[in-house]
Structures are given as structure tokens and as C-alpha cells.
Amino acid sequence: MTLYVSSLLIACGICLFAGVHAVLAGTTGKREPLNQAFGCLSLLLAGYLLLAAAIYQADALSLARQLIRLQLTLACLIYPAAVWFLGLYAELRQRRRWLALASLVFGALLVINLLSSNSVIYTQIIRDHAIALPWGEQVHDFAGRKSKLFGAYFLAKDAIYVFATGCCIALWRRHSARAWPLTLYLLIQGLAAVHADIVNRSGTQMVTFEALAFLALVLLMGDRLRLELSQRATLLTHNLEELREETRRRQQVESTLRHLAYHDPVTGLSNRLALRDHVQAALAVQHTGDHALILLDLDHFRIINEALGHDVGDMLLKAVAARLLAAAPAGSLVARHGGDEFALHVGLPSGTAPAAAAREIVRGMTATLTAPYTIGAHDLAVGVSAGIALLPGMAGDVDSALRQVAVALHRAKASGRNTAIIFEQLMQAQADRRLLLEKGLRLALERDEFELHYQPQLDARGRFVAAEALLRWRHPQHGLIAPGEFIPIAEETGLIHAIGRYVLHQACLERESWAAVHADARVSINVSPWQLFAQDFVRTVHEAVNTTRTMPRNVTIEITENALLHDLEDVAYKMRELASLGFHFALDDFGSGYASLGNLKRLPLHELKIDRVFVEGLQAGVRDPLVEAIINIAHEQQLFVVAEGVETGQQREALAELGCDAIQGYLICRPMPSAQFHHWLDQLPEPVDLPGR
Ligand code: C2E
Ligand code: CA
Ligand code: CA
């Protein structure tokens, strides 16, 4: 039974396996120095154990000599490798120095070993008696005469064990879990050394276990390293999990942020940014065919919002958004462009003219949107104005596409709302001018660029009864600009309030400058609906007459029918308050809007101004039933009737026949600046009776 030799060979196999495993364990990814050192050490120990087994089995002395020399060569490699490994294992700061020292000493011994005929520690090797082991196994034994370096070699070897013990102490000091396996190994190795010493001293023929003790080193250290590796793997898996969780959380936050960035919080539709990206992408792709960008605006939404509150406004916007989404053609993008504006980007079917196709789509959408809404207790109807930009058209980029569609929408709103208008190149120049005016308008008051012109009204007998104040803007570059062009801008930008105060004040001043003969004449002042809706309207008017010492009975406030479309009660209340102070109220442009005659009864009106369009067609001697009816109804309500835009004598005569109370128009004179108007007043001819009155 070759138990001893077999155990050496088995130990060799285990070391070989552990060595290969440790070396390979570090080959993927980052190489672990500790594993590499352990692997090298284990492989060297495997070789050492194999040679030990071979020596015990060697028959020939010459072979034994070679094997012993080879074994010592390996030993000279093993001890520096052990220093390398232990230095890393104990995480010594000076480990490189220790390794260098060990390499130097054992390197020298190794060279001498290779050069000497027997080995570094023996000058002569002879065969000893074979050793018979208790279990019947017999192994060869060899003895040698000590060389001069014998003592040095064993001293160096013992120094390595001292070093190992030092490492062990360092680990214990640090309370490292690595201390235990090293301690255990050193104990085993120590026991084996003591046993070998006893055997050597007693001279008994016995095998020693010093080589076999290396197996303890490989097994104990290997186990420790494996444990650490698996702990690290667990930690790594855990970290990986956390990292994944973190990534998932971040993605969630990112997607929420992205949603917020690209969606409108009120309606949930895509927002302006998303629309931009979408249109940009569509414009970037060549040969996509025709497409259109459509901007839909709810007419007078601002008034609903202000009158019924933002909650109702928001609910209306949501309802509009839902209808838009439902009605939008497949593949189109619906977005909230801001405020009460919605955008639709849509591909147009090929084969039809793009303009016709876009108009058809808008017609469908408008029909859906204008059906009545029930929001809470309110039944609401909205009008829709639409601007259309046909793409790619002239629009090279998304900015010009958006500009074009905005210009078209603005046009649609200006042309009486509830219409759709397709962008044309000419509109751009007009839009540019508008933008210029908008900028200039903010400074016009400060720069004193406004002036009032006055146009007189004469009664049927030719007597001067009133003058209407008409605003002009003397623009430094563009000359005199008519109110029709800038008043809408002032209304949209809210500047109308400041401008309106200026007009009230200036017109009252003018009225006070008239001669005493005109004591009963009034100044007519145009007031925008937005001024009327303002909370402080009554106070503003009051202030104007107070600071200028004007009599309220000399002031007529002209309001338009639009002012009556919303919250009639509020407007009527303010009017009554002012009327009780003596102010007169005139309903301007009558017949051009939607005001019902029924509404007139509920308002403290004194005067009705017939719109120019009715006057245009009048001819002397030819009856106009509509104008006749208007005048009759107005008279039934005790209203003073003024006809506007009277340009011809024929018209004047026709109006006189119908019993119109006063006329205003180019026939008498055009609106004039204050100085010129004064001159006109001075030259006023004696009143004459007009025919038919
Ligand atoms: P409106 O109140 O209907 O004023 C009458 C407009 O008809 C004036 O135009 C006047 O110049 C013009 N007109 C007078 N007689 C004739 C005529 O015989 N033939 C023709 N074709 N036109 C005639 P204007 O001055 O351009 O004012 C336009 C509109 O601007 C006014 O219409 C009024 O609504 C508004 N507006 C003028 N001044 C003010 C103001 O101070 N405040 C506000 N809110 N609106 C104003
Ligand atoms: Ca007027
Ligand atoms: Ca008018």
C-alpha cells in the first residue's frame, strides 16, 4: 500500500487544481494580484509535492540527485512566491520590499543550486536505507553531506516562516477574518517542523510531513479566498440590483419630466415644444407630400375666462381638447399652443388641391368645436377662428411655419372671427408692420404721439350739436395712423386702458375750450368694450370730468354693440351710474353687429348712431324701409338718432326725409385737429332749416 506517496500525489493534484483555478479566476476582466500570487504559489507547491513523491520512489541515485536539485530549485521559487502572496494577503504596505529581499536571497541560492553538481545544500548525496512505514509501505531515502550554504539556506527558509508569523500578527491586530486560516496553517506547518526535527535528531528512519503541510496552506487559503470571492460576488450582485433599481427610478423620473416638458398640464395635449419638434421633423423629411399646420383659436375665450372664472375656462379647454382629439384625422398631432389656441399638424391627402383639403379638414374640426358645451351650470358656445399654413410651401423651417400660421390666424380673427384663412406671402409684410406698431405703441403715450381729431355733428336745422373725438397716432416713421389699425393692438395688449384715459382727459379739455355759444354742445368719446369691462371704469370717467371741470351733460360716451355681448348686467349697471350723473350714452355703429333692439330697452341710452353701411345706399326720394324702421324704433325709445358717414347731399336729404336727428360725415367736414376744428367752429354759418323737417 503506497499510502504516503499516494497522499503526496493527491496533495499535488489538489494544489495543481487550486493553482490553475486561481490563475484562471483572474483572467477574465481585471486580474486580481492576490489570486494570481496564490495560483502561482499553488502551482509551485504542486511541483514540489510531485518531486517529493518522485524522490521517495527513485531507484537510481543519479535520478534522485537530479530530482533533489530540481526540488530545491522549486523551493527557491516557492519562498519568494510565498512572500509575494502573504504580503498581499496581509495587505502589507512594505510588501514590495519584502518581496525584493526574498527574491534576492533565494535568487542567489537558486543560481548556486543550478551551478552546483549536487545541490545548494549538499556537496554529496548518497542512498540511505529504505524506510519501511508502519502500514507496509517502503520508500527510498537519501542523505547528503552539508554544504557551506546549508545553514544559510535554512536560515533564509526560517526567516520566511518568521515573516509569515509577522503577517499573521498583523492580521490579528486588524481583526481581519484572514487571520484564522493563516494561524491554522502556521500551526500545522509548525507541528510538521517539530516532527521533522524529532525524526532528524533521533536518527529514526521515518518520513516527514513538512511537504504535505503545504496542502494545508493551499486548502485553508484557497477556502478563504473562495469565500471572499463569493462575498464580493454577492455584494456585486446586490450593487448591481441597486444600480438597476436606480436606473429604473431615473428612467421613470426622466419620462415624467419628458412628459411634463412635452405636454400641457391642463388638457394633457402635446404642448408648443412638442409641436415644434413634430413640425420640424416633418419639414426635415423630404418628399412627405403636402401637410398643413393649422392654428385654431376660440373666439372671445378670454371673456368667458374672466366672466365665469378660470375653473370654467379650464373645463372648457379640456372639453375642446377632447373634441379636437376625437375629430383629428389619424396620424395628425393635436397640441395646445397656449391660451385658447390649439394647433393641428396634419398630412394632406394626395390628389386634391392642398388648400381645398386643408379647408375641408378645418371645416370638419370647426363644426365639431362649435357645437354647444355644457360646463357645470353653463351652456357655452364658442366660435373658432383658424389660420392655416400649407407646408412645405414657403416655410423652410419650423419658425417660419409657426409665424405664417400665426399671421393667418390673426387675419382670421381680424376679419370678423369664425373664419379660416390660409397664409399668403403678402400677409407677412402686414404682420411685420403690425409687430412694429405693437412695439411702438408701448412708447407712444410717453412720447406724446397721440392726438385727437374732431368731427362735428349737425342737427336737422344745421346747428352744431356735438363733435366726435377720433384718435390718431402720429408715428415718427409711418406718419398718421388711423385708429382702425392700432386700437385692436391696444385692446389685445391691454394698452387700451391707458390710451382710453388719455382720450377721455383730452376730449374733456377740448370740450371746455369751446366758446360759450356752444354751451349745450357735447363731445362724443369712443370707449372700447375692454374699458367698459374694467372695474374702475366709472371712476376713470369721473376723474376725467373732475380734473378738467367738464359738465357730464356735455359728454357723450359712445359704446359699440360688442360691449353688450358679455355680462350685459355689469355694463348696464355702470352705464346707469354714469347716466345718473348726467353723462349721455350713444350706441355706435348700430346695425353692423348683433345687438338686438330688445337689449336697448335695458340700457340708459340717449343716442343711436346708424352705421355708415346703411347710409351708403340712401338716395333722395327713394324709401329705405330698413333705415326707416331703425329710426322709428329708436324714436319710440326716445333715442336721438345720428347718421354716420354722410358724404352726399342725396344722403342728407334722404335722412332728413326719414326724420334722422343729426348727421356726421365728410359732407360736413373730415375729422380735424383741435386748432383747425376751433377755426371751423368760429366760421360756423347761421343754422338753416333742412327740407323735410
Ligand atoms: P367710429 O366711431 O365709427 O368713427 C367714425 C369713423 O368714420 C371715423 O374713422 C371717421 O373718420 C369715419 N368717417 C367719418 N365721416 C365719414 C364719411 O363721410 N365717410 C367715411 N368713409 N368715413 C367717415 P376713424 O377716425 O378712422 O375711426 C375708426 C374707428 O376707430 C372709430 O369708428 C372708432 O370705433 C375707433 N376709434 C376712434 N377713436 C377712438 C378712441 O379714441 N377710442 C376708441 N376706443 N376707439 C376709437
Ligand atoms: Ca364713434
Ligand atoms: Ca361709428
Side-chain angles (χ1 to χ4, degrees):
M1 206 163 57
T2 58
L3 196 60
Y4 180 65
V5 172
S6 300
S7 60
L8 283 174
L9 287 174
I10 289 169
C12 160
I14 292 171
C15 289
L16 187 70
F17 176 77
V20 170
H21 184 76
V23 169
L24 288 184
T27 51
T28 53
K30 201 174 134 248
R31 275 167 194 269
E32 267 271 11
L34 183 62
N35 272 315
Q36 297 294 310
F38 178 71
C40 287
L41 182 62
S42 300
L43 289 175
L44 289 168
L45 289 174
Y48 189 89
L49 286 161
L50 181 68
L51 288 170
I55 291 166
Y56 282 117
Q57 294 281 292
D59 292 322
L61 181 63
S62 60
L63 175 66
R65 276 191 193 129
Q66 293 301 322
L67 290 175
I68 288 171
R69 203 156 62 114
L70 196 58
Q71 196 188 30
L72 278 162
T73 307
L74 273 186
C76 288
L77 292 170
I78 284 169
Y79 292 113
V83 171
W84 178 27
F85 168 68
L86 288 171
L88 288 166
Y89 185 78
E91 292 168 336
L92 296 187
R93 250 182 279 141
Q94 310 275 19
R95 59 174 177 267
R96 275 174 217 277
R97 282 198 200 161
W98 289 115
L99 177 59
L101 186 66
S103 303
L104 203 71
V105 172
F106 282 97
L109 290 169
L110 185 133
V111 172
I112 296 165
N113 183 57
L114 287 175
L115 294 176
S116 57
S117 55
N118 284 285
S119 74
V120 68
I121 52 171
Y122 300 118
T123 51
Q124 200 188 0
I125 294 173
I126 51 157
R127 183 190 292 278
D128 210 342
H129 301 290
I131 303 169
L133 294 170
W135 51 87
E137 184 181 0
Q138 204 168 27
V139 294
H140 297 292
D141 194 18
F142 299 91
R145 191 173 293 163
K146 293 173 188 172
S147 75
K148 281 180 201 148
L149 287 172
F150 184 89
Y153 173 81
F154 281 97
L155 191 69
K157 189 181 134 183
D158 289 343
I160 298 298
Y161 286 110
V162 173
F163 172 78
T165 313
C167 288
C168 193
I169 292 167
L171 287 171
W172 277 116
R173 278 214 184 133
R174 263 185 270 140
H175 305 287
S176 165
R178 286 177 176 182
W180 261 114
L182 185 56
T183 312
L184 216 60
Y185 159 67
L186 286 175
L187 278 176
I188 291 169
Q189 190 73 54
L191 283 175
V194 170
H195 172 257
D197 201 44
I198 294 168
V199 169
N200 284 341
R201 279 171 204 272
S202 63
T204 33
Q205 289 270 299
M206 184 61 195
V207 289
T208 60
F209 297 97
E210 278 181 298
L212 219 51
F214 288 143
L215 181 62
L217 173 77
V218 171
L219 287 179
L220 287 166
M221 299 293 138
D223 185 55
R224 179 68 222 160
L225 294 187
R226 189 193 48 73
L227 195 75
E228 285 185 9
L229 213 68
S230 85
Q231 276 172 353
R232 233 172 319 153
T234 318
L235 197 73
L236 218 68
T237 325
H238 181 74
N239 286 348
L240 208 70
E241 274 305 309
E242 273 192 352
L243 213 71
R244 275 206 200 107
E245 176 64 15
E246 181 63 37
T247 313
R248 208 179 51 76
R249 260 202 303 268
R250 184 139 18 112
Q251 278 169 346
Q252 218 161 32
V253 171
E254 270 172 15
S255 93
T256 319
L257 284 179
R258 214 180 0 254
H259 187 87
L260 283 178
Y262 281 96
H263 288 83
D264 165 52
V266 175
T267 59
L269 292 179
S270 297
N271 64 8
R272 198 189 284 247
L273 199 66
L275 177 75
R276 276 187 68 91
D277 286 1
H278 183 88
V279 174
Q280 198 157 31
L283 284 170
V285 182
Q286 306 275 314
H287 318 299
T288 36
D290 291 308
H291 45 127
L293 182 60
I294 298 164
L295 212 53
L296 301 160
D297 180 283
L298 308 184
D299 293 339
H300 306 301
F301 174 78
R302 194 167 113 190
I303 293 164
I304 291 177
N305 216 17
E306 282 174 11
L308 302 179
H310 292 268
D311 288 347
V312 174
D314 281 358
M315 281 194 276
L316 179 61
L317 288 176
K318 275 183 209 159
V320 168
R323 285 194 196 175
L324 262 175
L325 271 182
S332 56
L333 180 90
V334 179
R336 182 167 174 216
H337 193 247
D340 57 350
E341 279 178 17
F342 292 87
L344 179 75
H345 178 261
V346 60
L348 299 175
S350 52
T352 41
R359 271 192 198 286
E360 193 48 46
I361 290 170
V362 170
R363 201 169 303 138
M365 303 297 282
T366 310
T368 317
L369 293 185
T370 47
Y373 297 80
T374 306
I375 308 285
H378 310 278
D379 285 325
L380 302 172
V382 293
V384 174
S385 302
I388 304 168
L390 296 175
L391 305 176
M394 311 284 257
D397 56 25
V398 61
D399 285 315
S400 55
L402 285 168
R403 225 177 302 129
Q404 290 183 359
V405 77
V407 166
L409 174 64
H410 193 266
R411 255 318 158 81
K413 286 202 278 187
S415 67
R417 299 177 183 257
N418 240 327
T419 45
I421 285 186
I422 296 181
F423 174 82
E424 285 162 25
Q425 211 49 45
L426 181 72
M427 293 177 188
Q428 190 63 53
Q430 290 158 342
D432 291 346
R433 177 175 157 95
R434 195 200 118 92
L435 199 69
L436 199 94
L437 293 188
E438 190 179 320
K439 279 187 196 152
L441 201 58
R442 293 177 194 280
L443 297 169
L445 262 182
E446 283 170 37
R447 295 183 180 163
D448 205 17
E449 289 170 1
F450 289 118
E451 58 188 62
L452 283 175
H453 287 197
Y454 298 90
Q455 189 178 35
Q457 294 167 7
L458 301 183
D459 73 3
R461 290 169 57 208
R463 286 179 306 196
F464 169 64
V465 287
E468 180 175 5
L470 293 160
L471 190 58
R472 304 290 178 256
W473 176 12
R474 201 170 285 282
H475 194 282
Q477 280 102 44
H478 299 277
L480 211 60
I481 301 175
E485 197 173 359
F486 66 84
I487 292 282
I489 305 176
E491 287 177 333
E492 277 172 43
T493 52
L495 289 167
I496 190 67
H497 299 288
I499 295 174
R501 275 194 295 274
Y502 165 86
V503 170
L504 277 166
H505 185 83
Q506 210 56 34
C508 287
L509 275 183
E510 171 69 24
R511 170 64 196 82
E512 282 319 286
S513 67
W514 295 346
V517 283
H518 306 302
D520 290 336
R522 286 185 298 268
V523 69
S524 270
I525 304 172
N526 291 287
V527 158
S528 151
W530 295 106
Q531 286 172 270
L532 263 172
F533 299 151
Q535 285 303 311
D536 61 353
F537 177 67
V538 173
R539 202 178 64 217
T540 306
V541 175
H542 226 242
E543 264 169 24
V545 288
N546 280 351
T547 50
T548 55
R549 296 169 182 280
T550 311
M551 305 285 282
R553 66 179 179 84
N554 287 135
V555 177
T556 301
I557 294 170
E558 294 195 7
I559 61 168
T560 56
E561 295 174 19
N562 288 345
L564 312 179
L565 285 178
H566 315 281
D567 210 347
L568 190 68
E569 269 321 302
D570 178 59
V571 170
Y573 177 81
K574 289 171 182 163
M575 284 170 69
R576 275 196 294 271
E577 204 158 317
L578 288 169
S580 70
L581 296 169
F583 289 96
H584 275 204
F585 279 96
L587 187 64
D588 206 355
D589 305 335
F590 185 77
S592 69
Y594 315 93
S596 76
L597 287 167
N599 276 347
L600 302 187
K601 285 190 204 143
R602 300 165 61 186
L603 297 169
L605 285 173
H606 305 88
E607 185 178 314
L608 194 124
K609 296 185 82 172
I610 302 176
D611 196 71
R612 199 166 62 230
V613 290
F614 293 99
V615 175
E616 255 167 21
L618 290 178
Q619 284 173 21
V622 182
R623 275 193 56 206
D624 186 319
L626 192 58
V627 179
E628 191 178 351
I630 292 174
I631 293 175
N632 287 340
I633 293 168
H635 279 162
E636 272 169 31
Q637 316 247 340
Q638 269 80 51
L639 294 177
F640 187 78
V641 182
V642 180
E644 289 186 301
V646 180
E647 295 181 355
T648 65
Q650 289 250 355
Q651 290 166 348
R652 180 178 59 188
E653 275 166 41
L655 284 160
E657 279 164 23
L658 292 171
C660 182
D661 301 303
I663 57 165
Q664 177 185 343
Y666 295 168
L667 179 66
I668 303 166
C669 63
R670 290 186 176 251
M672 309 164 264
S674 174
Q676 208 180 323
F677 180 67
H678 279 209
H679 188 65
W680 182 88
L681 276 181
D682 294 343
Q683 312 227 315
L684 208 53
E686 283 301 303
V688 280
D689 268 328
L690 291 170
R693 183 78 186 177

